[in-house]
Amino acid sequence: PVKIKGLDQDFATAALLQAPDVVNWSKEVPMVEQDTNRFEVGSDKRLAAHQIMAEVMRALEEKGYDPINQLVGYFLSGDPTYITSHLGARGVIRRMERDELLEVVIRDYIERL
């Protein structure tokens, strides 16, 4: 609790006591309908993603790691320590957002089905 002018109040009440005109309690907040977000990666990013994945896989293999296991760990957690620093692979994989890389991997897989 926050003590204001001798009164014990929770933080929200304390804030309202200091500036009651900030909140307009009579206004309703309308629900906003939103369309489904679309996510698309262009051909330039696709090529960059392929180069990134090739460099990272090479570094992981050279160090004796299973690239699949390490990449799954990285994609699921976002933790770059799943990627070796050998050949600068940890920095290489961070050149592109994780979701963009994953989209390219999934798109390539689905196109080959």
Side-chain angles (χ1 to χ4, degrees), residues 7 11 19 27 29-30 33 49 52 54-56 58-59 62-63 66 69-72 77-78 82 88 91 96 106:
L7 298 173
F11 183 77
K27 254 189 172 176
V29 178
E33 298 262 342
I52 289 168
E55 286 182 53
V56 169
R58 178 177 160 231
E62 281 186 15
K63 290 302 281 183
D66 178 348
N69 289 340
Q70 298 308 112
L71 287 166
V72 167
S77 70
Y82 279 98
M96 185 176 287
I106 292 171

Side-chain angles (χ1 to χ4, degrees), residues 13-85:
T13 305
L16 289 174
L17 287 173
Q18 290 179 351
D21 58 326
V22 173
V23 177
N24 183 350
W25 295 102
S26 63
K27 254 189 172 176
E28 287 188 32
V29 178
M31 293 295 290
V32 178
E33 298 262 342
Q34 290 184 339
D35 293 332
T36 302
N37 289 331
R38 295 186 134 211
F39 187 88
E40 296 180 22
V41 173
S43 61
D44 290 343
K45 286 202 176 200
R46 192 172 185 168
L47 178 60
H50 282 272
Q51 292 170 339
I52 289 168
M53 294 298 290
E55 286 182 53
V56 169
M57 287 191 62
R58 178 177 160 231
L60 288 167
E61 287 170 346
E62 281 186 15
K63 290 302 281 183
Y65 294 109
D66 178 348
I68 304 297
N69 289 340
Q70 298 308 112
L71 287 166
V72 167
Y74 171 70
F75 283 128
L76 289 177
S77 70
D79 183 355
T81 60
Y82 279 98
I83 306 302
T84 182
S85 58

